[in-house]
Amino acid sequence: MNSIELLIKNFSSLPGIGKKSAARIAYYLLKADRNYSVSLANSISEARERVRNCSICGNYTENEVCDICSDTMREKNTICLVEMPQDISVIESTGVFKGQYHVLMGHLSPIDGIGPDQLNIKQLMERAVRDSISEIIIATNPSVEGDTTALYIQKLFEEKNIKITRLASGLPVGGDLEYTDRLTLMRSIQGRLPL
Amino acid sequence: MNSIELLIKNFSSLPGIGKKSAARIAYYLLKADRNYSVSLANSISEARERVRNCSICGNYTENEVCDICSDTMREKNTICLVEMPQDISVIESTGVFKGQYHVLMGHLSPIDGIGPDQLNIKQLMERAVRDSISEIIIATNPSVEGDTTALYIQKLFEEKNIKITRLASGLPVGGDLEYTDRLTLMRSIQGRLPL
């Protein structure tokens, strides 16, 4: 396999990139500015070397503790529980939440052999006690696995005097009632709010 | 900018990859097998270092002369003229053409300052004489620029006793007459063949 074939093969293993897109990218890189291709190659190596999980919440960071956990201005007694580190940046982009995060590193999925011990659940329980957490907002995905995980966490904390909430499911803003799927519409009716 | 942000920024500069896909790829790489991310980074650097243009036809190669030009089994007196090296692999995949290639490295585009001197046209004329070429198949893209370039080349060779042909335009095989655009349909009528 020559360099171009290897480049195409490697790119086509990335999520959302098929063989044609991979070829397009490979040929683009051959013509692109050399500084750019060097920077791209280096940024891949460096991200893998430098990025690790925050020792407190599990978020990606280049330090021992992530920026959010070390930010003294943020609320200390609310935790937003997410499945993956990348969920944090999406929630942060809303600017609405000013508390702490905790990353489960997945969701319960017995079929894939992922039980409570494979997720950062023990650390969450320790943290909840240590930091006298008053509310845990469960922001796992609104999927079967995410819901199951949310239910499991809620049961765990049942007698712990901690408020457990879940992100609301419902109509996406700017969406169209006509094109909303049945399950989402069901949830938005069940979760209706007084105006 | 931290490593993850840089990684996302770099990926989002690739063709066909927006900010969301870039983020998805970046987070995928952080979780992926370390060997894979090393191989991806290396293959980018190595392709840029090793790949150059064939000194005869302009195709991408890791040697002085590309595999096609050094293949003694191929017809020597027919040249297929393409815009870019990547066009060669598409034509090769048909298995129909067994001659030589010549890469223009673009198409005529006065608006972008690309005239005949910016393309490998002089080399083509020299090669045509040196290798006593009998036919040049012009396989530039069926676009305004590709057609203009084809016309220019055809005029250049007008009195040279070389057969100049152009790839046929027409209905894509498996396509539908109803959904064919007007220009393509016009060309397929003009280029109709006896059955």
Side-chain angles (χ1 to χ4, degrees):
Chain A
M1 191 179 292
N2 67 35
S3 318
I4 301 182
E5 287 163 356
L6 180 63
L7 190 58
I8 295 176
K9 181 177 158 282
N10 273 337
F11 267 104
S12 63
S13 305
L14 291 174
I17 300 194
K19 204 152 178 291
K20 289 223 166 177
S21 311
R24 192 176 162 211
I25 291 171
Y27 287 117
Y28 171 85
L29 282 176
L30 289 174
K31 280 203 76 184
D33 184 41
R34 187 172 293 265
N35 290 335
Y36 168 63
S37 58
V38 168
S39 167
L40 177 63
N42 287 346
S43 61
I44 295 171
S45 317
E46 282 176 14
R48 270 314 292 252
E49 268 167 41
R50 293 193 191 162
V51 175
R52 51 168 125 177
N53 295 103
C54 167
S55 62
I56 298 178
C57 72
N59 188 10
Y60 287 133
T61 176
E62 292 178 43
N63 308 306
E64 173 68 22
V65 171
C66 76
D67 290 350
I68 295 175
C69 285
S70 49
D71 183 347
T72 52
M73 300 296 287
R74 296 184 70 110
E75 276 175 45
K76 289 291 172 199
N77 47 8
T78 312
I79 282 181
C80 178
L81 184 66
V82 295
E83 291 186 18
M84 299 301 295
Q86 51 264 49
D87 300 331
I88 293 180
S89 57
V90 187
I91 297 178
E92 281 297 286
S93 72
T94 67
V96 165
F97 180 70
K98 294 289 179 203
Q100 309 297 311
Y101 288 96
H102 193 85
V103 183
L104 282 173
M105 281 295 165
H107 47 232
L108 293 177
S109 177
I111 214 165
D112 302 312
I114 299 174
D117 294 343
Q118 277 71 49
L119 303 176
N120 286 337
I121 291 181
K122 206 171 127 248
Q123 294 86 327
L124 173 68
M125 300 198 65
E126 288 165 5
R127 223 181 139 187
V129 175
R130 193 179 61 225
D131 301 346
S132 5
I133 298 300
S134 59
E135 177 176 0
I136 296 176
I137 302 173
I138 304 182
T140 52
N141 286 327
S143 60
V144 175
E145 294 87 353
D147 286 347
T148 312
T149 310
L151 214 66
Y152 179 86
I153 304 278
Q154 183 242 318
K155 285 228 150 54
L156 272 186
F157 284 90
E158 216 158 33
E159 321 226 305
K160 291 260 189 322
N161 199 26
I162 294 177
K163 189 171 159 194
I164 306 287
T165 54
R166 176 98 172 93
L167 289 194
S169 270
L171 305 178
V173 178
D176 200 320
L177 210 76
E178 187 181 351
Y179 301 111
T180 306
D181 67 290
R182 207 167 51 89
L183 274 174
T184 303
L185 198 51
M186 263 171 62
R187 288 230 189 155
S188 85
I189 296 170
Q190 286 160 352
R192 67 193 179 279
L193 297 167
L195 266 189
Chain B
M1 192 180 290
N2 67 35
S3 317
I4 301 182
E5 286 163 356
L6 180 64
L7 190 58
I8 295 176
K9 179 177 161 284
N10 273 336
F11 267 103
S12 63
S13 305
L14 291 173
I17 299 194
K19 203 150 180 291
K20 286 223 169 175
S21 310
R24 191 173 162 212
I25 290 172
Y27 288 117
Y28 172 84
L29 281 174
L30 290 173
K31 279 201 77 185
D33 184 40
R34 187 172 292 264
N35 290 335
Y36 168 64
S37 58
V38 169
S39 166
L40 176 63
N42 288 345
S43 60
I44 294 171
S45 317
E46 282 177 15
R48 268 316 289 253
E49 270 168 42
R50 291 193 191 163
V51 175
R52 51 168 125 177
N53 295 104
C54 168
S55 61
I56 298 177
C57 74
N59 188 10
Y60 286 133
T61 176
E62 292 179 43
N63 307 307
E64 174 67 20
V65 171
C66 75
D67 290 349
I68 294 175
C69 286
S70 49
D71 184 345
T72 53
M73 301 297 287
R74 297 183 72 108
E75 274 175 47
K76 289 291 169 199
N77 46 8
T78 312
I79 283 182
C80 178
L81 185 66
V82 295
E83 291 185 19
M84 296 302 295
Q86 50 267 44
D87 299 330
I88 294 181
S89 58
V90 187
I91 297 179
E92 281 297 285
S93 74
T94 66
V96 165
F97 179 71
K98 293 290 178 204
Q100 308 296 312
Y101 288 96
H102 193 85
V103 183
L104 283 173
M105 280 296 166
H107 48 233
L108 292 178
S109 177
I111 214 164
D112 301 314
I114 299 174
D117 294 343
Q118 277 70 52
L119 303 176
N120 288 336
I121 291 181
K122 205 171 126 248
Q123 295 87 329
L124 173 68
M125 300 199 65
E126 288 165 3
R127 223 181 138 188
V129 176
R130 193 178 61 226
D131 302 346
S132 6
I133 298 301
S134 60
E135 179 177 358
I136 297 176
I137 302 171
I138 304 182
T140 52
N141 286 326
S143 61
V144 175
E145 293 89 353
D147 286 348
T148 312
T149 310
L151 215 64
Y152 179 85
I153 304 277
Q154 185 242 315
K155 285 226 151 55
L156 272 186
F157 283 91
E158 217 158 29
E159 320 226 306
K160 291 260 191 320
N161 198 27
I162 294 177
K163 189 171 157 193
I164 306 287
T165 55
R166 176 98 171 95
L167 290 193
S169 269
L171 305 178
V173 177
D176 201 318
L177 209 74
E178 187 181 350
Y179 300 112
T180 306
D181 66 289
R182 208 167 51 89
L183 275 174
T184 304
L185 198 52
M186 263 169 63
R187 289 230 188 155
S188 85
I189 295 171
Q190 287 159 351
R192 67 192 179 280
L193 296 168
L195 265 190

